[in-house]
Amino acid sequence: MLTHRPRRLRQSGPMRNLVAQNRLAPADLILPVFVKEGAEQPIDISSMPGVQQHSMESLKAAARDAAAAGVGGIMLFGVPETLDARGTAGVDPNGILNVAIREVIAEVGDEMVVMADTCLDEFTDHGHCGVLDEAGNVDNDATNEIYARMAVAQAEAGVHVVSPSGMMDGQVGVIRVALDEAGYQHTAILAYSAKYASAFYGPFREAVDSALTGDRKTYQMDSANRTEAILETELDIQEGADMVMVKPAMSYLDILRDVADMSTVPVAAYQISGEYAMIEAAAANGWIEREPAMLESLTAIRRAGAQNILTYYATEAARLLA
Ligand code: PBG
């Protein structure tokens, strides 16, 4: 006779639902969006079916749809018309990202948390996340000075959360001081703390028309490393991060679990462009079922310890969960 029959709790939908240990909720999801300067119409991103570079109008509509579906946050990325070596358009109050912040805050600022990417790669003509020194290396401290000005410009535009994603040492501390000195004590920082150099960012490069040649391996983390994620997270929390992030998500669920276990602040994870593209491509070929795969992937990220999930599926997933 079998005393333990774990299948008893799997026998029906209501039973499984009753004992489910992890649940996805729309409020935990954050939708990343791209807005392209000068675009009259949204432009499809071929490697991310269903995702677009928005015009200002379609961006506002996407923000409204997300808010209506109960999505908790929106993360803005700008695609500027003009690039230069120092990413000047990122600091300019009239730059595309700062204009978009104002528009989205006016549209949905009372209903959802509005966040912006605080990084130079979308704005530099060489595509790196920072400025280069004479030798062509990314100059950590010179980059931090620009991040500080960029964060203040975003706060001036009304953003609720700035999100440094460039993996410069000390970036969170420099940004916190700059925000406070400028009077933006209430602007929060979501730090991309454990961000790995990943081949799965491929489609994002199309999404932001990236000019990058080479790679980001001198500033983003090496996928072989684990404890370094703890160090990076500890440093960011000490420097004043209000939330931390692990990125990518699906190939780094072990890291996410490690960080969730040690973090004293909320932990987010980013289901990145290549993860989205893989699910979409397999589903388009009929090799996997799209919606169950989407929800399973998000549940796995949740189970690994993410409070918040940045996902291109946010609005659709929120509707499915409602
Ligand atoms: C850098 C940044 C990247 C992503 C978000 N912020 C690209 C990179 O680090 O190369 C990738 C997001 C995705 O792939 O979905 N500003």
Side-chain angles (χ1 to χ4, degrees), residues 66-270:
V71 171
I74 187 165
M75 173 69 77
L76 306 179
F77 292 92
V79 185
E81 253 167 5
T82 38
L83 310 173
D84 64 21
R86 301 183 60 78
T88 309
V91 177
D92 182 352
N94 297 315
I96 180 66
L97 182 53
N98 293 323
V99 171
I101 290 170
R102 283 192 199 88
E103 296 278 346
V104 171
I105 284 282
E107 198 73 29
V108 295
D110 295 336
E111 293 157 68
M112 67 198 308
V113 178
V114 179
M115 310 178 165
D117 190 50
T118 311
C119 189
L120 289 177
D121 66 308
E122 290 97 47
F123 299 95
T124 53
D125 54 12
H126 45 70
H128 277 292
C129 294
V131 292
L132 307 180
D133 63 20
E134 299 89 72
N137 297 314
V138 175
D139 185 332
N140 193 89
D141 298 10
T143 297
N144 279 345
E145 283 173 34
I146 303 179
Y147 286 172
R149 289 195 281 128
M150 190 173 185
V152 170
Q154 293 177 349
E156 263 163 21
V159 85
H160 300 134
V161 181
V162 298
S163 310
S165 65
M167 290 301 282
M168 294 303 121
D169 295 334
Q171 62 184 9
V172 172
V174 170
I175 287 172
R176 185 70 268 159
V177 169
L179 287 173
D180 288 355
E181 282 177 0
Y184 296 107
Q185 287 85 357
H186 296 300
T187 305
I189 301 176
L190 165 57
Y192 286 65
S193 300
K195 178 172 177 180
Y196 286 83
S198 174
F200 296 100
Y201 299 142
F204 179 89
R205 307 275 156 87
E206 183 193 349
V208 299
D209 300 343
S210 174
L212 182 71
T213 50
D215 58 50
R216 305 195 197 285
K217 289 182 179 170
T218 69
Y219 42 105
Q220 296 179 346
M221 289 171 56
D222 186 334
S223 61
N225 295 345
R226 185 170 173 186
T227 55
E228 199 182 343
I230 305 286
L231 172 64
E232 287 281 9
T233 304
E234 279 172 356
L235 290 171
D236 283 356
I237 294 173
Q238 281 164 20
E239 289 173 31
D242 299 285
M243 296 173 260
V244 294
M245 194 200 294
V246 173
K247 179 183 176 185
M250 292 165 70
S251 301
Y252 296 84
L253 293 177
D254 57 330
I255 306 298
L256 178 54
R257 172 43 61 196
D258 285 349
V259 168
D261 284 345
M262 57 70 71
S263 178
T264 46
V265 300
V267 176
Y270 197 143

Side-chain angles (χ1 to χ4, degrees), residues 16-25 28 299 302-303 321:
R16 290 190 293 274
N17 198 28
L18 184 78
V19 300
Q21 292 183 318
N22 290 281
R23 248 178 258 284
L24 293 166
D28 297 325
T299 302
R302 174 82 179 183
R303 192 191 61 232
L321 294 168

